[in-house]
Amino acid sequence: MASLIAMPAMLIPETSRDTIQIVGLFCVIGALLTFSEYFSSFPSIIEFREAAPFNRVRFGALFSIIVSLALVLRGLETPTPLTGVLIEIGRSIGTAADMPFSPIRLMVLAAPETVSAAQIDLLHILAGLAFLIALVALTVFILVVRILNWPIRRGAFNFWVNLPLFDPTAGGDILTRLRRDAHINVSIGVLLPFLIPAMLKLFGMMGTPFDFFAPQTLIWTIAAWAFLPTSLIMRGVALMRIADLIALKRRRAYAEAALQAV
């Protein structure tokens, strides 16, 4: 987690000393929170702690997005064959997906009105790369759920450890609540790529000081725009999978009770 937070500052040249100090503070906080969560006997915040590879896919997606965007910005000043490939891939996807009412078009429109053609091209590259990585991560997780029988392939699913923030005794049928939460997460995940650019545009219209094209700001903004919706959709898919497993277990229990009654 610390390396993830520090990666943009490490890869982008001419990072200011103040930025390095702030990044260092967040690295320590992120590392301590992750260490305390995974080495604690009792869960607190992180969901699906013992249901690999849910968190691994999410972390891998975010790490890949951050590193790719940072390499692209670094490659603008010190080009390498790798950054050249990333730039071409991002430009191809970003340009092809820049159509009316698409999330990438909205992200371009969220930029300041004084944006130049080179900056629009940079937005296409970064948004295209982030969109591709997020889509690949989501596809991988869905395949893991459908093909590898997640999360019971390696053993029973511990509801309390993996869903510490979900109280099964809060009232109502647990299946109804799980499916409702799953639908809400997927719906918000689908809407966020459209809502985040609108929020950025609103902040700009309100005069909020926000340097959109500062390297650190640009990387984390694009990463949040791509990763947060993916993470929410993955959580919705996971909750629906847990609901299906509980429903299956109930049907088996009812069938066994019926047989015993006969």
Side-chain angles (χ1 to χ4, degrees), residues 83-93 125:
T83 58
V85 172
L86 291 175
I87 289 173
E88 289 303 319
I89 293 175
R91 180 180 288 119
S92 299
I93 297 174
I125 295 170

Side-chain angles (χ1 to χ4, degrees), residues 60-222:
L62 182 58
F63 190 86
S64 300
I65 291 172
I66 293 295
V67 171
S68 299
L69 302 188
L71 286 175
V72 167
L73 292 179
R74 181 184 179 89
L76 297 178
E77 297 185 9
T78 55
T80 64
L82 176 59
T83 58
V85 172
L86 291 175
I87 289 173
E88 289 303 319
I89 293 175
R91 180 180 288 119
S92 299
I93 297 174
T95 304
D98 186 6
M99 58 187 69
F101 305 107
S102 70
I104 292 181
R105 171 66 64 85
L106 294 177
M107 182 58 71
V108 172
L109 294 177
E113 297 180 356
T114 57
V115 65
S116 64
Q119 290 173 327
I120 292 178
D121 182 57
L122 179 60
L123 277 178
H124 283 156
I125 295 170
L126 299 181
L129 269 179
F131 180 80
L132 174 64
I133 295 171
L135 184 61
V136 169
L138 183 59
T139 304
V140 168
F141 179 68
I142 292 176
L143 292 177
V144 168
V145 171
R146 298 301 180 186
I147 298 177
L148 299 183
N149 200 26
W150 180 91
I152 58 174
R153 182 167 178 250
R154 298 182 179 178
F157 180 81
N158 190 317
F159 196 97
W160 176 65
V161 171
N162 291 296
L163 289 171
L165 302 179
F166 189 93
D167 185 6
T169 63
D173 185 26
I174 187 174
L175 282 180
T176 303
R177 293 173 56 207
L178 281 172
R179 287 169 175 164
R180 179 195 62 199
D181 289 356
H183 292 151
I184 291 174
N185 276 267
V186 172
S187 300
I188 296 176
V190 172
L191 289 176
L192 270 184
F194 303 92
L195 294 179
I196 291 177
M199 293 172 60
L200 294 175
K201 191 67 175 180
L202 181 62
F203 289 155
M205 294 174 61
M206 294 173 60
T208 305
F210 183 70
D211 189 0
F212 190 85
F213 284 95
Q216 297 284 336
T217 304
L218 189 58
I219 288 175
W220 287 107
T221 300
I222 298 293

Side-chain angles (χ1 to χ4, degrees), residues 181-183 185-186 231-241:
D181 289 356
H183 292 151
N185 276 267
V186 172
S231 180
L232 285 173
I233 294 175
M234 286 177 58
R235 185 176 187 271
V237 172
L239 291 178
M240 186 59 69
R241 171 63 172 166

Side-chain angles (χ1 to χ4, degrees), residues 3-69:
S3 61
L4 168 66
I5 298 173
M7 195 60 64
M10 294 170 58
L11 292 178
I12 296 177
E14 299 180 1
T15 303
S16 66
R17 182 174 300 180
D18 293 338
T19 300
I20 293 175
Q21 292 176 352
I22 295 174
V23 170
L25 175 62
F26 281 108
C27 287
V28 173
I29 295 174
L32 290 177
L33 288 176
T34 305
F35 179 84
S36 62
E37 177 68 23
Y38 275 92
F39 282 85
S40 173
S41 301
F42 304 99
S44 57
I45 298 176
I46 298 180
E47 295 182 326
F48 302 103
R49 193 179 73 173
E50 295 183 1
F54 180 83
N55 288 324
R56 295 175 186 175
V57 173
R58 291 200 303 175
F59 179 82
L62 182 58
F63 190 86
S64 300
I65 291 172
I66 293 295
V67 171
S68 299
L69 302 188

